[in-house]
């Protein structure tokens, strides 16, 4: 499980929103059940395809599945998330923007244990990551 965060102290101390504060929430959900493959059968997925990644901003929410069509909701006009706008031509720019934001977030937060190590003739060389 990965979890990252930032101090809430500026809010508590009345300093307001820090400059680098996030504008979206990101999360992943794995809905596979090794003991019951009914979800896979019903959706036509393999066990490894039973995952989704979500990005939710103040107004929009984008849900990306491994092997199912995406979902995109306008939370201002549809707070109950009943109308999927992912294929609506009028929302194509926002869908693309959120898909790209989600991909960039995933790339930045993927497992990176060995990514800062290179092998040289003198042995392994590592450099600490500066995430931000």
């Amino acid at each position: 499980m990965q979890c990252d965060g930032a101090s809430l102290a500026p809010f508590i101390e009345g300093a307001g929103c820090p400059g680098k504060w996030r504008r979206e929430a990101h999360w992943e959900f794995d809905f596979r059940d090794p003991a019951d493959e009914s979800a896979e059968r019903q959706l036509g997925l393999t066990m490894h395809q039973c995952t989704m990644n979500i990005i939710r901003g103040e107004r929009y929410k984008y849900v990306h599945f491994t092997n199912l069509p995406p979902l995109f909701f306008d939370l201002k006009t549809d707070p109950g998330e009943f109308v999927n706008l992912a294929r609506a031509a009028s929302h194509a720019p926002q869908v693309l923007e959120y898909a790209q934001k989600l991909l960039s977030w995933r790339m930045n937060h993927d497992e990176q244990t060995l990514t800062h190590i290179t092998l040289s003739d003198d042995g392994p060389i590592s450099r600490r990551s500066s995430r931000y």
Side-chain angles (χ1 to χ4, degrees):
M1 176 183 205
Q2 288 179 257
C3 186
D4 62 343
S7 173
L8 298 176
F11 294 101
I12 295 168
E13 296 165 355
C17 184
K20 287 190 168 189
W21 195 257
R22 293 186 195 138
R23 302 293 178 224
E24 295 98 12
H26 302 84
W27 67 95
E28 302 173 352
F29 183 68
D30 183 334
F31 56 94
R32 69 184 125 193
D33 182 352
D36 178 10
E37 61 186 50
S38 60
E40 293 120 84
R41 275 196 315 271
Q42 190 171 9
L43 296 170
L45 301 173
T46 68
M47 185 168 64
H48 297 290
Q49 293 172 330
C50 292
T51 61
M52 65 176 100
N53 283 256
I54 301 102
I55 178 173
R56 184 195 190 280
E58 186 175 343
R59 178 157 184 183
Y60 297 111
K61 180 178 180 181
Y62 175 76
V63 182
H64 191 92
F65 296 92
T66 305
N67 199 28
L68 294 171
L71 303 172
F72 187 75
F73 302 104
D74 183 336
L75 301 171
K76 183 177 180 182
T77 62
D78 180 25
E81 302 175 19
F82 293 110
V83 181
N84 180 12
L85 300 170
R87 294 194 176 166
S90 60
H91 284 80
Q94 290 89 3
V95 172
L96 177 60
E97 175 189 359
Y98 272 69
Q100 290 175 332
K101 283 183 185 185
L102 183 61
L103 177 60
S104 293
W105 178 81
R106 287 273 312 168
M107 291 172 74
N108 193 42
H109 290 85
D110 271 347
E111 168 58 44
Q112 298 180 8
T113 302
L114 299 175
T115 60
H116 305 291
I117 299 173
T118 187
L119 295 178
S120 73
D121 291 339
D122 298 322
I125 299 172
S126 69
R127 179 169 55 102
R128 274 194 80 109
S129 167
S130 57
R131 298 271 293 198
Y132 302 99

